[in-house]
Amino acid sequence: MSVRLSDEPISDEHELSQFRSGLEGEGAIVTFAGVARSRTPGGEAVDRLVLDHHPRLTSRSLDEIAAAARERFDIAALRIVHRRGAVAPGETIVFVAASATHRRAAFEAVDYMMDRLKTDAVFWKREDGPEGSTWIEPREDDLAARARWSEAPCPE
Amino acid sequence: MSRVTGGRRIVRIGFFGRLREALGDEREVPDERGETVARLRVRLAALHPGAARDLLSPGVRACVADAIVGEDFPVAGQERVEFLPPLSGG
């Protein structure tokens, strides 16, 4: 289980290569890269995305999400690499990978980790552009995606 | 434990996200006996009216020693209290 914060640009190829080098014969690898957009949902240009973080709670939140994925899915290995600070459009914000004997667990683990990361990772994001800066609020669709994995019992 | 400066106890207040942008990384305020998080919010909002809406928002959570605390949590004597706006996620 490898989890880290990065101040430097993330190389997806390097991360995948490193991840593969630690595997032990699993038959499935699933990766996801979240990339900084060049425009807001409203179409305005974005010069950079800035991720503010907490000196301890941010790492703790990533570790907790990784541990929960390990607990929940039958995966052999996982990796989360997350940027902090200023991120240019086109750069990877987050790289997530999981390996498993069979593909379904790896797909689900990465899906789960991304849904958790989008809502529970301790970051505050700001988009800077020619028109000014905007702090990004929690999004309803991200919260709904997170709720898919709720462990609450079904109502009778 | 709050620090003593010039004969007065000081509590450090840490900010993140848009509050950090508005108020800086950290401010120091005199420690007031019996003060709760809720009362500290009101005091900070009076000191920084431009950030009052966020400081008084229930969506902005207070954190002490890396744990989220409630509005009745006693601030007096704490070294540092942090205010965390709603998370944007990763």
Side-chain angles (χ1 to χ4, degrees), chain A residues 79-131:
Chain A
R79 174 171 292 227
I80 299 175
V81 187
H82 208 298
R83 286 288 300 275
R84 63 184 178 187
V87 180
E91 290 182 350
T92 294
I93 305 168
V94 59
F95 175 92
V96 176
S99 69
T101 303
H102 300 290
R103 70 184 184 282
R104 185 64 57 205
F107 273 122
E108 289 185 341
V110 170
D111 197 16
Y112 170 82
M113 286 190 280
M114 279 312 306
D115 283 345
R116 294 283 317 275
L117 285 163
K118 292 294 286 181
T119 52
D120 300 337
V122 178
F123 289 102
W124 298 273
K125 294 194 293 193
R126 189 186 73 215
E127 289 175 329
D128 293 348
E131 307 301 319

Side-chain angles (χ1 to χ4, degrees), chain A residues 52-57 60 82 117-126 135-138, chain B residues 15-21 63 65-68 80 82-90:
Chain A
D52 191 13
H53 76 289
H54 187 281
R56 293 168 302 280
L57 297 183
R60 188 187 296 176
H82 208 298
L117 285 163
K118 292 294 286 181
T119 52
D120 300 337
V122 178
F123 289 102
W124 298 273
K125 294 194 293 193
R126 189 186 73 215
W135 287 96
I136 298 174
E137 299 289 332
Chain B
F15 303 106
F16 295 89
R18 60 177 184 251
L19 275 172
R20 190 206 292 269
E21 185 178 58
C63 180
D66 294 347
I68 300 297
R80 180 176 156 100
E82 296 170 332
F83 285 97
L84 280 50
L87 304 178
S88 310

Side-chain angles (χ1 to χ4, degrees), chain A residues 137-145:
Chain A
E137 299 289 332
R139 290 161 46 111
E140 286 299 323
D141 54 348
D142 287 335
L143 295 173

Side-chain angles (χ1 to χ4, degrees), chain A residues 40-91:
Chain A
T40 67
E44 294 164 347
V46 176
D47 293 331
R48 66 175 190 169
L49 180 69
V50 177
L51 291 105
D52 191 13
H53 76 289
H54 187 281
R56 293 168 302 280
L57 297 183
T58 300
S59 288
R60 188 187 296 176
S61 68
L62 301 186
D63 288 342
E64 189 277 321
I65 291 166
R70 282 295 293 265
E71 176 75 20
R72 187 166 186 144
F73 303 99
D74 187 17
I75 54 175
L78 66 82
R79 174 171 292 227
I80 299 175
V81 187
H82 208 298
R83 286 288 300 275
R84 63 184 178 187
V87 180
E91 290 182 350

Side-chain angles (χ1 to χ4, degrees), chain B residues 1 7 13-14 25 36-37 48 52 57-58 63-64 69 73 77 80 89:
Chain B
M1 190 70 185
I13 314 293
D25 294 349
T36 61
V37 165
H48 309 290
S57 167
C63 180
V64 174
V69 295
F73 186 86
R80 180 176 156 100

